[in-house]
């Protein structure tokens, strides 16, 4: 800097340049001395992180949140109108119950920094204790507290998906009690095994970017088991339950919420605002669209008509399938994910008849089978250069990189997900079966009139028609048909 004195003499001084943080690198590295990250009264805990990364994960949390009511709307549209509101209510209550469980001890059991033998976290973060500014176990790009609220939305969504099993015959209160226990004994261990770096499946080398096993295989298998314990709906196997979805607009709106929210579900799992997150967004929406088109074509071959319900089902199947691989596979592979998801999940909807399970919302077919397909395809198409787009992740890749053992790891993850979710869910329901006041199913009379009236006391619509089910219609006699035809002719002017 040049300075002029009063006599015209020029002097120069040297000023140290202001410190400018390098993009992607925190102002200060975490020193690891305190579980909370430090004292916020004496040190700026934000200085460990880039504000762009934190802003993106906060936004992604909101996107994943909107998926849970989206599931409720999707299920409500598929059900009969007399029980539609109960499914929306269930999805909203799932948010409340599972989010409390997550705060209480779910987060600590899944993502505490200490994991016992690779199986389960400790209660070091019970009630979010010491959950604040220290780098999270999944990524040092975001703090513990931010990852806790983000991953809490995943737990809520998984519970909401599985609770579609209560459709039209399940009691609400026992289902919510089951959810709390299930989130503790089923979801938390699976999340720990797959996503916590100290979990045994993570150490094995499983690639599961956003929840093929903890979310989709888990929820689909849980729903199947819950359906078995509930039993078949009244009139199952007859025309009584061979009904069309009562509100296709609700199905479409629910799909829009899900597709929109999946941009936080998959890209947010990059845990940073990076090219890897962008790639996850690209493959997610591509697989969804291709899955929807494939399902439509599968239906068209039978009836030569297109279906919005079929398109929405295919979109969800595509989203489910790409979930484990969204941060690992190149864009061209997402087309294969979509085609496989749309075709396989479409055929899988027939499994419920083979298994004699009244899975009213086809949760097992779309989520469990879709998740299994996604895990297998991820093992085949995972690429090391895609994972490296976040700037620091290094993997040996899948079959594209000649890493053939990866398929074995992913098959193991699928088996573990089905066995653990199915076995522990069955054990929980078996215990509940023998506890007074916790019977899972409503009475037959309540099932006939609908869950909205008997479980909620409210209706999705002002008028709910149950006459056709309560009082079966009598077929008109031939004389009555002739009389009706004569009346119509008399009103015709020639």
């Amino acid at each position: 800097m040049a300075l002029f004195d009063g006599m015209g003499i020029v002097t120069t001084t040297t000023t140290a340049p202001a410190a400018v943080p390098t993009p992607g690198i925190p102002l200060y590295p975490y020193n690891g001395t305190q579980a909370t990250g430090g004292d916020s009264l004496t040190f700026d805990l934000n200085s460990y992180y880039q504000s762009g990364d934190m802003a993106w994960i906060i936004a992604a949390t909101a996107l994943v949140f909107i998926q849970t009511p989206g599931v409720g709307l999707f299920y409500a549209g598929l059900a009969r109108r007399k029980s539609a509101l109960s499914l929306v209510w269930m999805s909203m209550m799932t948010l409340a119950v599972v989010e409390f469980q997550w705060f209480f001890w779910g987060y600590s059991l899944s993502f505490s920094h200490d994991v016992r033998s690779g199986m389960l976290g400790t209660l070091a973060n019970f009630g979010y204790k010491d959950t604040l500014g220290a780098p999270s176990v999944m990524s040092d790009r975001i703090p513990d507290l931010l990852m806790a609220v983000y991953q809490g939305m995943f737990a809520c969504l998984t519970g909401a998906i599985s609770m579609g099993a209560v459709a039209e015959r399940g009691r609400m209160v026992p289902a919510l009690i089951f959810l709390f226990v299930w989130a503790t004994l089923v979801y938390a261990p699976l999340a720990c095994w797959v996503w916590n770096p100290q979990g045994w499946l993570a150490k094995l080398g499983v690639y599961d970017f956003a929840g093929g096993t903890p979310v989709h295989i888990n929820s689909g298998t849980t729903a199947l088991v819950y359906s078995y314990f509930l039993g078949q709906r009244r009139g199952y196997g007859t025309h009584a339950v061979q009904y069309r979805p009562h509100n296709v607009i609700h199905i479409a709106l629910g799909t829009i919420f899900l597709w929109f929210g999946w941009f936080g579900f998959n890209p947010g799992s990059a845990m940073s605002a990076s090219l890897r997150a962008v790639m996850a967004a690209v493959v997610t929406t591509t697989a969804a669209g291709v899955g929807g088109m494939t399902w439509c074509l599968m239906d068209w071959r039978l009836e030569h008509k297109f279906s919005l319900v079929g398109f929405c089902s295919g979109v969800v199947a595509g989203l489910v399938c790409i979930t484990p691989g969204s941060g690992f596979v190149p864009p061209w592979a997402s087309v294969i994910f979509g085609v496989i998801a749309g075709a396989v999940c479409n055929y899988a909807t027939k499994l419920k008849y083979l298994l004699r399970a009244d899975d009213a919302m086809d949760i097992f077919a779309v989520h469990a089978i879709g998740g299994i397909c996604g895990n297998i395809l991820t093992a085949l198409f995972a690429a090391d250069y895609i994972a490296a787009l976040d700037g620091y992740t290094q993997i040996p890749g899948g079959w594209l990189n000649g890493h053939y053992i990866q398929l074995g790891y992913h098959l193991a993850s699928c088996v573990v997900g089905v066995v653990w979710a199915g076995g522990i869910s069955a054990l929980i329901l078996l215990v509940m079966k023998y506890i007074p006041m916790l019977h899972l199913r409503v009475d037959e009379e309540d099932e006939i009139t609908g869950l909205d009236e008997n479980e909620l006391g409210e209706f999705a619509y002002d008028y709910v028609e149950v006459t056709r089910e309560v009082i079966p219609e009598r077929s008109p006699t031939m004389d009555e048909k002739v009389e009706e035809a004569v009346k119509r002719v008399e009103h015709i002017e020639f």
Side-chain angles (χ1 to χ4, degrees), residues 80 82 234 240 447-449 465-472:
R80 283 175 284 193
K82 64 182 181 179
R234 179 178 177 274
E447 183 179 352
I448 291 172
T449 54
E465 184 181 5
V466 295
T467 304
R468 286 180 295 179
E469 189 167 349
V470 177
I471 306 175

Side-chain angles (χ1 to χ4, degrees), residues 405-461:
I405 191 61
Q406 194 65 40
L407 180 59
Y409 299 157
H410 284 215
L411 289 174
S413 179
C414 293
V415 172
V416 168
V418 171
V419 172
W420 185 262
I424 303 301
S425 295
L427 183 61
I428 297 169
L429 292 168
L430 187 62
V431 172
M432 290 179 63
K433 182 179 178 180
Y434 294 101
I435 298 178
M437 307 300 293
L438 288 186
H439 56 280
L440 301 176
R441 184 166 180 153
V442 299
D443 298 332
E444 183 177 11
E445 182 179 349
D446 293 344
E447 183 179 352
I448 291 172
T449 54
L451 299 189
D452 290 359
E453 178 178 349
N454 293 286
E455 288 285 303
L456 301 184
E458 297 175 327
F459 303 96
Y461 308 95

